């Protein structure tokens, strides 16, 4: 029985779809030149829901076994979700289907997808199951909100500098409990440095005189209103972060054992464990080996060999969310007293030349 593979060149408003009928003797892994004999049927579809339903019917009528498409921005996602219950799908990285200069057309791109998939020449992306995609959505949104909070804090520091308020120079956390109380009073119109300093926690390391001096400045009405907007933004972000913590706990209830095992590793806490599970899955079963997993994350040297020499050891891009959290937990692990990671790191320090 002939193998039937559909290739989809994805655009925002249209899909260029080809169905290739592959003869039995063209096994996967053969040269592309041999696969030129594949017979193609072309058709154009839209990207609305009704058009996607027509696409599913058209592919089923032609007995398609497998669908391969390019990872074009975010536009591949609705197509993938519509076809997911009906076909085996593969998502190819766009650079692996690059056309020769001057040889590019939409249908040729889709045909090239089929030929290179049959020959095993495409670089495919890992697309997790629906449950894991939902977990990723929550944990990645949490990362984005944390970044937004840091960005607002930087804007607050800039605003205070213009008002000659040096609060961030004498307290460690500008958006901590003491900082928020002082900034809230400033936003409401309080200008007396002594009254503002009295709102600080007694456990602050700076003296009262230093705090009063740091709070002596001149805040204009415009600056006060912008300060209030920044504080409202911080409050909104904190509320949303709290909601996401509950969503993450609820969504990962089935995988509590995996999270618990990860938390036992020095440097990993619950938030980091949830991020790892969401990105790699509870068992990382999609990866055949540790080397493949490391390459997917982007934490191993690259290899670009020619004539027996490696011309580039640059790391691949990988999964930036997982790489970020692993770098953070690695920094925490080497600072965990009497842990294996700290001992190993201390032995490597002379050779690495690492500076804290």
């Amino acid at each position: 029985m002939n193998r039937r593979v559909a290739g989809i060149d994805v655009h925002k408003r249209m899909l260029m779809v080809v169905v290739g009928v592959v003869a039995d003797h063209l096994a996967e892994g053969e040269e592309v030149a041999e696969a030129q004999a594949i017979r193609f049927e072309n058709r154009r579809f839209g990207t609305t829901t009704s058009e996607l339903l027509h696409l599913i019917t058209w592919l089923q009528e032609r007995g398609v076994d497998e669908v391969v498409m390019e990872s074009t921005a975010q536009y591949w996602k609705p197509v993938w979700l519509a076809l997911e219950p009906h076909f085996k799908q593969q998502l190819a990285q766009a650079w692996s289907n690059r056309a020769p200069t001057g040889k590019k057309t939409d249908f040729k791109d889709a045909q090239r997808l089929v030929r290179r998939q049959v020959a095993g020449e495409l670089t495919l992306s890992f697309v997790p199951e629906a449950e894991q995609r939902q977990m990723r959505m929550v944990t990645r949104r949490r990362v984005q909100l944390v970044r937004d909070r840091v960005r607002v804090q930087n804007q607050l520091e800039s605003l205070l500098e213009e008002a000659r308020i040096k609060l961030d120079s004498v307290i460690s956390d500008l958006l901590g409990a003491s900082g928020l109380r002082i900034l809230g009073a400033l936003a409401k119109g309080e200008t007396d440095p002594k009254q503002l300093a009295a709102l600080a926690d007694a456990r602050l390391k700076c003296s009262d005189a230093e705090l009063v001096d740091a709070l002596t400045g001149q805040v204009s009405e415009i600056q006060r209103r912008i300060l209030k907007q920044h504080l409202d933004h911080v409050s909104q972000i904190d509320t949303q972060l709290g909601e996401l913590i509950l969503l993450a706990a609820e969504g990962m209830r089935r995988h509590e054992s995996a999270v618990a095992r990860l938390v036992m590793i020095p440097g990993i806490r619950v938030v980091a464990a949830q991020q790892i599970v969401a990105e790699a899955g509870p068992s990382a079963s999609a990866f055949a080996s540790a080397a493949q997993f490391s390459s997917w994350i982007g934490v191993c040297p690259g290899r670009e060999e020619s004539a027996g020499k490696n011309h580039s050891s640059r790391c691949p891009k990988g999964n930036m969310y997982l790489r970020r959290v692993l770098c953070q937990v690695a920094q925490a692990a080497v600072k965990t007293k009497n842990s294996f990671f700290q001992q190993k790191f201390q032995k490597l320090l002379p050779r690495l030349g690492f500076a804290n």
Side-chain angles (χ1 to χ4, degrees):
M1 183 177 179
N2 292 336
R3 177 182 174 190
R4 297 174 183 270
V5 182
I8 304 178
D9 188 34
V10 181
H11 300 274
K12 183 176 182 178
R13 295 185 178 88
M14 66 180 66
L15 305 174
M16 318 304 282
V17 185
V18 303
V19 173
V21 181
V22 185
D24 290 335
H25 68 278
L26 290 178
E28 183 174 348
E30 290 187 357
E31 296 294 332
V32 177
E34 296 183 32
Q36 298 293 344
I38 301 173
R39 302 193 312 274
F40 289 109
E41 182 178 357
N42 305 337
R43 185 166 173 182
R44 179 182 303 186
F45 291 89
T47 56
T48 60
T49 301
S50 60
E51 285 287 296
L52 292 176
L53 292 175
H54 291 156
L55 170 61
I56 293 170
T57 303
W58 188 74
L59 293 177
Q60 288 174 337
E61 289 174 350
R62 279 143 189 83
V64 169
D65 310 306
E66 180 181 354
V67 176
V68 59
M69 67 186 76
E70 282 187 10
S71 55
T72 307
Q74 305 297 319
Y75 304 136
W76 63 272
K77 292 184 177 180
V79 184
W80 182 281
L81 293 172
L83 301 183
E84 189 173 32
H86 308 282
F87 305 100
K88 176 185 176 182
Q89 298 187 99
Q90 302 288 358
L91 183 68
Q93 296 185 17
W95 64 267
S96 66
N97 193 44
R98 190 173 299 164
T101 304
K103 301 287 185 179
K104 185 184 185 310
T105 66
D106 291 331
F107 280 124
K108 282 186 178 179
D109 285 350
Q111 292 174 6
R112 195 183 309 108
L113 273 172
V114 174
R115 287 197 298 269
R116 291 184 177 176
Q117 174 65 8
V118 171
E121 295 178 343
L122 290 175
T123 300
L124 303 177
S125 298
F126 166 55
V127 181
E129 298 297 327
E131 181 189 17
Q132 189 176 341
R133 294 200 298 266
Q134 294 295 319
M135 292 191 295
R136 277 187 176 188
M137 192 180 301
V138 173
T139 55
R140 290 183 178 186
R141 172 62 178 166
R142 184 166 57 195
V143 171
Q144 292 166 356
L145 286 179
V146 170
R147 288 176 178 170
D148 288 345
R149 197 176 192 274
V150 173
R151 185 159 47 247
V152 174
Q153 180 172 340
N154 292 336
Q155 293 169 352
L156 269 172
E157 291 178 2
S158 177
L159 181 66
L160 293 177
E161 289 291 335
E162 292 185 14
R164 290 175 288 174
I165 302 292
K166 307 291 290 186
L167 181 61
D168 57 308
S169 299
V170 294
I171 65 175
S172 58
D173 187 3
L174 183 63
L175 296 181
S178 296
L180 287 175
R181 283 197 297 270
I182 293 172
L183 293 175
L186 269 174
K188 291 178 181 178
E190 180 62 62
T191 57
D192 186 358
K194 293 183 179 180
Q195 294 293 332
L196 293 172
L199 298 173
D201 196 292
R203 293 173 294 179
L204 289 180
K205 294 183 179 179
C206 64
S207 65
D208 291 341
E210 290 175 332
L211 188 55
V212 169
D213 189 34
L215 290 169
T216 301
Q218 187 172 359
V219 183
S220 67
E221 181 62 26
I222 295 296
Q223 290 170 334
R224 186 173 290 110
R225 291 187 180 184
I226 295 177
L227 173 60
K228 185 179 184 305
Q229 288 185 354
H230 284 322
L231 293 177
D232 291 342
H233 194 182
V234 170
S235 177
Q236 182 183 21
I237 290 173
D238 289 342
T239 301
Q240 293 177 353
L241 282 171
E243 293 174 357
L244 289 176
I245 289 173
L246 297 177
L247 277 176
E250 181 180 351
M252 296 192 184
R253 190 169 298 166
R254 289 181 53 204
H255 307 299
E256 287 180 351
S257 59
V259 174
R261 288 196 303 271
L262 286 171
V263 169
M264 294 173 65
I265 301 173
I268 298 182
R269 296 293 180 266
V270 173
V271 171
Q274 290 176 342
Q275 184 88 43
I276 294 170
V277 170
E279 295 298 331
S283 61
S285 57
F287 307 97
S289 65
Q292 185 182 11
F293 185 49
S294 299
S295 178
W296 177 73
I297 298 171
V299 292
C300 66
R303 185 172 62 187
E304 186 178 332
E305 287 185 352
S306 180
K309 293 184 179 180
N310 188 9
H311 294 274
S312 175
S313 58
R314 183 176 60 183
C315 293
K317 288 185 178 180
N319 185 310
M320 63 178 182
Y321 291 96
L322 189 51
R323 185 173 65 247
R324 166 191 164 274
V325 72
L326 288 181
C327 288
Q328 289 179 345
V329 300
Q331 292 286 346
V334 300
K335 295 177 182 177
T336 304
K337 292 183 178 180
N338 301 321
S339 69
F340 165 80
F341 298 107
Q342 186 183 57
Q343 296 170 6
K344 184 69 174 179
F345 184 65
Q346 293 298 329
K347 291 179 181 179
L348 293 173
L349 267 181
R351 190 173 68 185
L352 294 175
F354 182 84
N356 286 315

